[in-house]
Amino acid sequence: MGIYGVIGYPIAHSMSPLMHNREFQALKLDHYYTAFNIHPDDLAKAIESVRILEIRGLNVTLPHKVKVMDYLDEIDEEARLIGAVNTIINRDGHLIGTNTDGEGYLRSLLTIVDSLYAKKVILIGAGGAARAIATTLARQGVQALDVANRTAAKAEELAKHVNRFADCKALALKDAEEQLENYDIIINTTSVGMSPNVEEAPIRLDHLKTGAVVSDLIYNPLKTKLLQQAEEKGAVIHNGVGMFVYQGALAFEKWTGIKPNIERMMDTVIKKLGG
Ligand code: ATR
């Protein structure tokens, strides 16, 4: 029997235990996944406990994704580039940090677009989620991956990072709205529009290009105001459920060596969300 889990603060509303346990059961794996509420002051001790209790794998969520790197034995290249860890693998007491957020998002996006080659992409927001996604998408042959953010300094900082891999400029939200017809894919990485603030949208879509893809990392609600407005304009819309499921599925596979059933995981999460 293997013990797995997620650490965060707060962690009460995480859907990861349900998603992983249902999959363990369906695949007849004798494992169990639970949520650990870990105060930031206790993070070092919590990670030491992973070795002592022989917890085989952990997901890491807010606010621990960056700080946890200080306590691991190894950080793989993806997590190093992103600058954050969302998954820990315990190999006989040797703790390896990786990050499946960017790859999880990419896999989800590739279920609705064929490729990112030569695409012009804009991210709304410049926080941790934006950095993970930008780091992965920028290496997919995009023509440009620009960043628009409320706080200019943060957009510029992320743009500097992304420029290592792809053409990237920082924009103000207002300029992004006015230049929106330049972009094939618009991705909201901010929390604007998340429940309970469901009437808010991070950007106006007046200048949306015909046939554009509008993607929102939010999955509660499943269809944010932004996605409703995009749909009304005829855009292809994409919500955050797929990223959540794929980041979990990639972690599951790294821990167990077994590929989980994506459709079943998706079904579990969407039912839980009331979709
Ligand atoms: P995460 O790690 O989940 O990405 P974060 O690092 O706190 O969270 O980043 C939140 C992002 O959402 C930031 O880009 C933030 O903009 P600022 O850099 O200006 O703070 C953006 N954001 C949050 N609330 C916002 C709002 N009401 N309007 C515009 N942007 C907002």
Side-chain angles (χ1 to χ4, degrees):
M1 160 129 164
I3 299 288
Y4 296 85
V6 55
I7 57 169
Y9 191 83
I11 199 67
H13 298 293
S14 173
M15 287 186 296
S16 292
L18 174 75
M19 179 171 79
H20 285 281
N21 284 325
R22 170 127 194 253
E23 207 47 33
F24 286 150
Q25 279 164 15
L27 294 169
K28 301 200 162 37
L29 296 169
D30 185 23
H31 298 329
Y32 185 70
Y33 186 111
T34 190
F36 298 105
N37 198 43
I38 305 294
H39 188 277
D41 292 346
D42 294 328
L43 184 59
K45 280 188 275 179
I47 297 304
E48 190 49 30
S49 307
V50 170
R51 297 186 181 91
I52 295 165
L53 300 173
E54 298 186 10
I55 291 168
R56 291 207 206 153
L58 281 185
N59 284 129
V60 182
T61 187
L62 301 179
H64 303 313
K65 287 183 172 192
V66 177
K67 188 67 185 163
V68 77
M69 294 196 291
D70 292 348
Y71 309 118
L72 304 178
D73 300 303
E74 188 182 329
I75 308 290
D76 81 356
E77 199 198 348
E78 186 74 7
R80 221 175 15 246
L81 287 175
I82 291 172
V85 158
N86 85 325
T87 300
I88 299 170
I89 304 152
N90 183 355
R91 297 243 186 278
D92 300 322
H94 182 82
L95 303 186
I96 305 163
T98 184
N99 197 312
T100 63
D101 283 334
E103 183 66 21
Y105 178 78
L106 174 64
R107 297 229 187 160
S108 174
L109 190 63
L110 289 176
T111 64
I112 59 148
V113 301
D114 292 340
S115 135
L116 287 172
Y117 183 75
K119 293 276 167 47
K120 289 197 76 172
V121 182
I122 186 162
L123 294 185
I124 314 301
R131 188 174 163 105
I133 286 169
T135 304
T136 304
L137 297 190
R139 290 175 285 155
Q140 306 303 314
V142 294
Q143 186 184 333
L145 200 169
D146 294 341
V147 180
N149 194 48
R150 177 178 62 181
T151 307
K154 282 181 73 183
E156 274 151 27
E157 191 187 323
L158 181 55
K160 205 168 134 196
H161 168 70
V162 175
N163 259 309
R164 294 163 63 191
F165 314 108
D167 188 40
C168 178
K169 67 171 191 275
L171 290 89
L173 288 173
K174 201 168 168 303
D175 296 330
E177 283 174 344
E178 271 153 28
Q179 297 166 33
L180 211 59
E181 67 255 17
N182 292 338
Y183 297 97
D184 304 300
I185 304 175
I186 295 107
I187 305 168
N188 175 43
T189 72
T190 76
S191 53
V192 180
M194 192 185 287
S195 180
N197 303 314
V198 297
E199 290 305 320
E200 294 173 10
I203 190 168
R204 281 190 302 113
L205 297 177
D206 302 352
H207 300 288
L208 189 67
K209 178 177 177 172
T210 308
V213 171
V214 178
S215 173
D216 200 326
L217 300 201
I218 295 169
Y219 49 76
N220 187 16
L222 286 166
K223 201 186 280 181
T224 56
K225 193 77 178 174
L226 180 74
L227 294 186
Q228 285 171 34
Q229 289 170 345
E231 191 173 48
E232 280 162 20
K233 289 187 155 287
V236 176
I237 62 170
H238 173 251
N239 67 28
V241 172
M243 175 180 175
F244 176 70
V245 168
Y246 276 95
Q247 64 75 31
L250 288 164
F252 186 109
E253 192 176 346
K254 284 173 195 279
W255 294 325
T256 64
I258 295 165
K259 264 196 201 327
N261 183 311
I262 297 287
E263 288 74 38
R264 192 163 51 209
M265 291 174 82
M266 199 79 87
D267 188 61
T268 303
V269 173
I270 291 172
K271 276 208 183 100
K272 178 70 182 172
L273 289 167

